[in-house]
Amino acid sequence: MDTSGAYVTLVSADNHKFVVLKEVASISSVLRSTQGFEEGKTGKISLDMDGDILECVVEYLYYHYKYKEQAESGAIPEFHIPTHLALELLVKADFLDI
Amino acid sequence: MSDTSEVSEPTFGRPKFPSLVHLATQTISRHLTSLEDFGQTPYHLMEPILKRMNAKQLSSMEEKSPHIVPQSDRLWSQLIEKDFPDRPHTADVFSRTKPDATPYRTLYHKYVTEREAFRQDSAKRLRRITQQLQNKKSENKIITVSGILKDPTIKRRTYSSPRGSYGRQTALNKSSILNKARRELQGRNLIFSRQHVKPYSAYDAFK
């Protein structure tokens, strides 16, 4: 298990685990600052959100990481959000500052 | 990597990467009509979506999430501009006896009730005017009558039944030619207006 590597584990409220690059997680300033506190622990960040919401968040973080440089110059593919998650995602995204 | 999606320093010409907040807002906006309840979502996140709603939807949202009411009032100002462009949309135009927590919302509802009253009144007025026109029309209408009606304002000597020994045979004998002619003349005078015809004078040709 990668405890001090470049990865961090995001844990949802219903115990779904998502292993992401630290660099990717740092896109969110909230996750970035939380990471500091997790240093001595198992490199896990527990988040108060459902698994499917967190999954969408992780997807977005990678989407951002991948296409950040291109912005509008290259045509970046559309990031699809399932309608039934959109409202909750809005609130959580605001919380995570992403 | 300190770059978040929101670019803090001004970068003219370099577009921002869309934030998840922005994308989620967009998705919700696209399905505006199927949005039923915002729950406890804070107002600042709801605002861009509420801005696009009509009066009916906004009312419904306020009912379900009453915590937004004090702040959503400014949205009613926009709705007044949109739905009542002919009315003043500044709330301070009306002097209120008590301080109103939601002046614009109250103002909007006031306009709605006034418009409704006006429409009902309009329907009534329209009915009345139509009726008046109908009455006027029927005054000039041509209808068939059963017989020649005599002008009741003109005094006529009624030929009564035979008086004295002589009796008026002519009155009784209505079918006499003279009376018949007289009746016909009266009838024609009723139908055709009296033209003042100058009596014939042979000297007219020399004038």
Side-chain angles (χ1 to χ4, degrees):
Chain A
M1 199 169 57
D2 220 341
T3 50
S4 56
Y7 291 88
V8 65
T9 308
L10 304 175
V11 188
S12 73
D14 46 352
N15 245 332
H16 284 86
K17 294 181 178 62
F18 298 88
V19 180
V20 298
L21 284 168
K22 272 191 180 171
E23 215 180 310
V24 173
S26 298
I27 293 169
S28 157
S29 60
V30 171
L31 290 177
R32 190 169 61 243
S33 53
T34 320
Q35 273 176 147
F37 298 122
E38 302 295 313
E39 214 72 83
K41 298 180 188 176
T42 51
K44 280 185 184 166
I45 303 177
S46 291
L47 294 164
D48 177 28
M49 52 185 82
D50 287 338
D52 43 4
I53 300 287
L54 185 52
E55 184 178 8
C56 213
V57 166
V58 170
E59 267 180 41
Y60 174 78
L61 290 172
Y62 274 102
Y63 169 78
H64 187 291
Y65 184 72
K66 186 172 174 187
Y67 295 108
K68 183 171 37 73
E69 298 304 318
Q70 293 180 42
E72 296 294 312
S73 57
I76 53 173
E78 191 191 328
F79 182 76
H80 175 68
I81 296 175
T83 314
H84 67 286
L85 297 177
L87 190 52
E88 212 182 323
L89 206 54
L90 174 63
V91 178
K92 299 303 176 192
D94 182 60
F95 163 73
L96 291 171
D97 186 36
I98 51 173
Chain B
M1 183 94 37
S2 60
D3 190 29
T4 57
S5 11
E6 272 90 290
V7 179
S8 47
E9 67 276 322
T11 51
F12 303 102
R14 187 150 56 101
K16 290 190 278 188
F17 193 89
S19 68
L20 187 54
V21 170
H22 173 81
L23 292 172
T25 306
Q26 247 186 8
T27 306
I28 296 168
S29 298
R30 264 188 241 142
H31 299 89
L32 203 60
T33 45
S34 47
L35 181 61
E36 285 183 354
D37 193 355
F38 254 111
Q40 289 304 305
T41 314
Y43 177 78
H44 71 278
L45 291 177
M46 286 170 78
E47 190 171 51
I49 297 156
L50 290 171
K51 267 191 179 164
R52 304 175 57 160
M53 287 185 170
N54 61 28
K56 190 167 157 208
Q57 280 178 303
L58 184 56
S59 283
S60 172
M61 289 297 129
E62 283 186 339
E63 221 178 305
K64 290 175 182 159
S65 309
H67 63 281
I68 64 163
V69 170
Q71 290 163 291
S72 62
D73 195 56
R74 68 189 88 139
L75 297 171
W76 287 104
S77 172
Q78 279 182 358
L79 283 170
I80 290 175
E81 276 186 54
K82 201 163 46 140
D83 296 342
F84 299 98
D86 51 329
R87 312 289 307 264
H89 55 266
T90 41
D92 47 47
V93 170
F94 298 90
S95 57
R96 249 169 279 278
T97 49
K98 50 175 179 180
D100 204 324
T102 58
Y104 285 111
R105 189 158 73 132
T106 315
L107 190 58
Y108 186 93
H109 286 311
K110 181 175 145 90
Y111 286 161
V112 169
T113 42
E114 282 177 5
R115 175 178 274 179
E116 196 49 51
F118 175 74
R119 281 189 178 148
Q120 293 209 1
D121 190 48
S122 291
K124 250 193 259 170
R125 274 188 283 124
L126 187 63
R127 267 196 291 273
R128 191 161 36 91
I129 289 169
T130 312
Q131 192 57 46
Q132 279 179 357
L133 280 171
Q134 290 261 23
N135 291 346
K136 264 205 131 124
K137 263 178 122 177
S138 62
E139 275 176 30
N140 298 331
K141 212 169 148 188
I142 296 172
I143 54 171
T144 52
V145 289
S146 47
I148 302 286
L149 306 169
K150 294 188 181 169
D151 187 355
T153 60
I154 297 174
K155 273 193 179 170
R156 285 178 216 281
R157 273 194 265 159
T158 51
Y159 291 92
S160 48
S161 47
R163 266 182 270 176
S165 51
Y166 294 104
R168 289 194 172 232
Q169 286 185 0
T170 48
L172 290 173
N173 192 5
K174 287 225 156 56
S175 58
S176 81
I177 295 172
L178 190 58
N179 277 332
K180 189 175 177 187
R182 199 179 282 140
R183 270 205 314 282
E184 278 181 11
L185 187 63
Q186 279 179 347
R188 271 193 224 104
N189 281 341
L190 279 168
I191 295 167
F192 302 102
S193 62
R194 274 190 168 276
Q195 309 248 348
H196 293 287
V197 184
K198 278 207 293 195
Y200 174 71
S201 163
Y203 294 101
D204 281 346
F206 297 97
K207 287 201 184 131

